[in-house]
Amino acid sequence: MSPSNSTSTKGNASVSPAENGFIDSFSMLNSEKSVEEIIQQPLLHGIDDHLIEFSEALRTVAKALRRVTEGKASAQAEAAEWKRKYELERQRNLQLEQNGGDCTDGRGGNPEDRTVISDENSDQCELCCGKDDISAQEVLRDGEPDSNPSSVPNKMMRKASFKLSWYCKGEKCDRHKHDIVSFEKGNITTAERSSKQISLKWESPPQTVLILTKPNSTSVRILCLEMIRWLNEQKKLNIYVEPRVKSELLTESSYYSFVQTWQDDKDVLLLHTKVDLVVTLGGDGTVLWAASMFKGPVPPIVPFSLGSLGFMTPFHSEHYRQYLSSILCGPISITLRHRLQCHIIRDEAKSEYENEGPMLVLNEVTIDRGISSFLTNLECYCDNSFVTCVQGDGLILSTTSGSTAYSLAAGGSMVHPQVPGILFTPICPHSLSFRPLILPEHVTVRVVVPPSSRCQAWVSFDGKGRKQLGPGDALVCSMAPWPVPTACQSDSTTDFLRSIHDGLHWNLRKTQSFDGPRDP
């Protein structure tokens, strides 16, 4: 609205109503209102503009801070990898100096430090993939050779080696295709690796078996006694058990004095250099416990079903002799179950090295609100991209092997365990449009408790190791380079479908009656 002119201008002369001795009160009232609107409107717009600029500046600062904190995890992982390589190289040089330039394994390295199994994309592992195979397990020997192995009872002089290869429709491929995507004559094609089954073939016979059992179970204890006796007398294998089981065996009979165990956590870290095969007697929880014992490479696991649910335990205990005889001879089909590697970075951390972890999980990482009555407030990032802010009871980051566990109960989808990916499943979200996601395997997921959060959060790893996350703390998750190979009774797909049919009674219903109405 334009103001009424209280001054008229014509040429160079101006005439004011005051000069004529008369003031129009109505005109003056309109003029004051007009001036007030003119003064107020630009000020309001100016304030809005300044607020917008200030909020944009705050967003820029927040993004910069997030990038700095996100860089901590990647920098720490890279530094840890370089430190590991440096220590390995230093140990090899010392070994070379002690042996005069010739190492015990003929390759110039300390064989106990070698990685024994890796997936096809493991550029972080020390051993490279074979030309025609996914990965190869190298022969491992003790540091000091013994000219007379029989003089020392139960001494493992060699570790069984094996190779993994792809099978296509039951027939072994002559060569594994390392190129996932190929470009020929302008056409893009893929290797169709999802239709291939992984097979394990022993290059040298297994010599050492680790048996892990579910505690406080009479049926499991009886089966363990029988299996140990059979493996020792018929298969002539070295047997490892947990210290708890060793005490139970010696209480039962002094016959089991040949069974070996470990003393402390340091010995547990070296189990993968001594054990060729792991046998679990229990349910899926026993498989999780077996996987948690190995912080790096994991020997092949043969899971026997003696629990309530068995999504990862396809073998029946009553036929254990037949199954183990076939597995020890090989070849066998296996499922490579991927794990998540997690770190916690606290808000007060002054360096990227100040973190807690790594924690390896086979099923899922769960972040929840604990006993708080407030909704969780979690900022989620995928690599450098903001995903969403979770408001609800919590969030589940699951592997595909854990898709049939907590993630499924929270509304997530069932996924084949050999599909490499990370499941992003909210727990009772406040928004009905918040649906689960499946992210690719190569991404790094970062979950941050913002400083403005009303409450703290809690994180647990495979249902254990519960830790508190305060405002400003972050959880960083990525795919671990060491999968868990589990033996299959038939193949990975058949075992997976059988498990969801038997364990979940998936899509079980009565067949529709045939005597109803029909199309004309």
Side-chain angles (χ1 to χ4, degrees):
M1 182 177 98
S2 61
S4 301
N5 293 327
S6 59
T7 305
S8 60
T9 304
K10 184 177 181 181
N12 294 329
S14 62
V15 180
S16 175
E19 296 177 354
N20 295 330
F22 177 77
I23 298 177
D24 189 353
S25 60
F26 181 76
S27 177
M28 177 61 73
L29 181 61
N30 290 336
S31 299
E32 290 177 355
K33 291 182 178 180
S34 302
V35 171
E36 185 178 358
E37 292 178 358
I38 292 173
I39 293 175
Q40 289 180 356
Q41 289 180 0
L43 286 175
L44 291 175
H45 288 300
I47 292 174
D48 291 340
D49 293 339
H50 287 306
L51 288 176
I52 293 173
E53 292 177 2
F54 182 71
S55 61
E56 291 293 335
L58 288 179
R59 290 192 186 97
T60 304
V61 173
K63 290 179 180 179
L65 292 176
R66 288 166 186 163
R67 288 171 185 165
V68 171
T69 53
E70 286 171 3
K72 286 184 179 180
S74 59
Q76 177 212 355
E78 184 177 359
E81 181 66 19
W82 280 108
K83 182 179 179 181
R84 186 184 70 86
K85 291 181 179 179
Y86 169 78
E87 293 294 336
L88 290 175
E89 189 66 25
R90 186 170 64 86
Q91 293 179 10
R92 288 177 190 151
N93 293 335
L94 292 175
Q95 186 73 14
L96 283 172
E97 293 176 1
Q98 294 175 0
N99 299 337
D102 184 19
C103 287
T104 57
D105 65 346
R107 262 190 284 259
N110 188 355
E112 292 185 356
D113 292 325
R114 293 189 177 272
T115 306
V116 294
I117 186 169
S118 64
D119 57 2
E120 62 272 349
N121 297 324
S122 178
D123 55 354
Q124 302 180 21
C125 290
E126 185 180 349
L127 295 179
C128 296
C129 297
K131 183 176 180 182
D132 298 327
D133 302 286
I134 300 172
S135 61
Q137 183 185 41
E138 296 297 324
V139 177
L140 301 175
R141 300 182 179 89
D142 287 327
E144 297 295 334
D146 191 350
S147 58
N148 186 12
S150 60
S151 62
V152 181
N154 296 326
K155 182 175 180 63
M156 284 70 69
M157 297 305 300
R158 291 175 60 88
K159 188 175 186 299
S161 61
F162 58 83
K163 284 188 176 181
L164 305 181
S165 57
W166 292 102
Y167 271 70
C168 305
K169 297 181 181 179
E171 298 179 358
K172 183 178 179 181
C173 300
D174 296 332
R175 176 179 174 81
H176 166 60
K177 294 183 179 180
H178 288 278
D179 52 324
I180 301 176
V181 180
S182 60
F183 304 87
E184 295 181 1
K185 298 180 181 179
N187 298 322
I188 302 176
T189 58
T190 60
E192 297 182 357
R193 296 167 62 186
S194 60
S195 62
K196 302 174 184 177
Q197 171 63 42
I198 302 176
S199 177
L200 182 149
K201 181 180 181 181
W202 300 105
E203 292 189 325
S204 59
Q207 295 184 354
T208 306
V209 176
L210 169 63
I211 300 179
L212 299 176
T213 63
K214 180 176 68 173
N216 303 323
S217 174
T218 303
S219 59
V220 170
R221 183 171 56 85
I222 295 175
L223 177 62
C224 181
L225 295 173
E226 295 179 358
M227 184 178 293
I228 290 175
R229 184 184 293 271
W230 179 75
L231 289 175
N232 179 61
E233 296 178 354
Q234 302 296 326
K235 301 300 180 181
K236 309 299 180 183
L237 296 177
N238 300 305
I239 310 296
Y240 266 84
V241 296
E242 298 175 79
R244 169 186 59 83
V245 179
K246 178 66 179 291
S247 300
E248 294 176 355
L249 293 174
L250 293 179
T251 303
E252 186 74 21
S253 173
S254 60
Y255 166 82
Y256 298 100
S257 59
F258 64 88
V259 177
Q260 304 180 62
T261 186
W262 53 87
Q263 300 296 329
D264 50 27
D265 294 339
K266 185 178 179 180
D267 294 336
V268 175
L269 294 176
L270 298 176
L271 273 179
H272 72 276
T273 65
K274 303 175 182 179
V275 174
D276 299 321
L277 199 66
V278 179
V279 175
T280 63
L281 305 179
D284 289 350
T286 311
V287 179
L288 294 177
W289 168 244
S292 67
M293 293 180 60
F294 297 91
K295 307 304 180 183
V298 185
I301 297 178
V302 184
F304 284 90
S305 176
L306 287 102
S308 55
L309 280 179
F311 294 102
M312 294 186 287
T313 54
F315 296 97
H316 300 291
S317 59
E318 56 267 21
H319 303 298
Y320 75 88
R321 298 187 181 187
Q322 174 185 349
Y323 290 138
L324 289 179
S325 297
S326 176
I327 289 171
L328 292 173
C329 294
I332 58 174
S333 297
I334 66 169
T335 300
L336 285 181
R337 301 181 182 273
H338 299 274
R339 293 189 290 178
L340 290 178
Q341 183 172 258
C342 309
H343 295 81
I344 294 178
I345 302 177
R346 299 296 180 181
D347 182 45
E348 62 273 9
K350 299 179 180 179
S351 170
E352 60 269 16
Y353 302 105
E354 296 182 12
N355 62 61
E356 302 175 16
M359 285 75 72
L360 297 176
V361 297
L362 182 57
N363 263 0
E364 74 277 313
V365 182
T366 304
I367 309 173
D368 59 74
R369 59 190 176 97
I371 62 174
S372 174
S373 59
F374 296 104
L375 297 176
T376 56
N377 189 10
L378 306 172
E379 294 180 354
C380 303
Y381 301 86
C382 183
D383 290 337
N384 294 324
S385 300
F386 176 73
V387 179
T388 188
C389 182
V390 177
Q391 296 184 84
D393 284 353
L395 175 68
I396 300 172
L397 298 176
S398 170
T399 64
T400 50
S401 293
S403 66
T404 52
Y406 197 175
S407 176
L408 179 63
S413 177
M414 291 185 293
V415 186
H416 192 289
Q418 279 193 184
V419 175
I422 302 175
L423 279 65
F424 187 92
T425 308
I427 305 174
C428 297
H430 198 259
S431 172
L432 295 179
S433 62
F434 194 174
R435 310 310 301 163
L437 296 176
I438 299 179
L439 302 172
E441 61 171 331
H442 59 80
V443 303
T444 298
V445 179
R446 184 182 185 88
V447 182
V448 181
V449 180
S452 60
S453 178
R454 292 185 177 183
C455 64
Q456 296 177 332
W458 294 84
V459 57
S460 58
F461 309 91
D462 277 341
K464 299 179 180 180
R466 193 167 175 83
K467 295 179 180 293
Q468 192 175 33
L469 296 179
D473 294 345
L475 173 71
V476 181
C477 299
S478 60
M479 196 71 74
W482 304 283
V484 178
T486 58
C488 301
Q489 182 180 354
S490 300
D491 56 74
S492 60
T493 301
T494 302
D495 287 358
F496 171 69
L497 295 177
R498 184 188 297 119
S499 68
I500 63 176
H501 279 292
D502 296 344
L504 296 176
H505 305 293
W506 180 58
N507 197 30
L508 182 63
R509 67 178 299 274
K510 292 183 178 180
T511 305
Q512 188 178 27
S513 176
F514 66 91
D515 57 354
R518 301 185 182 185
D519 291 337

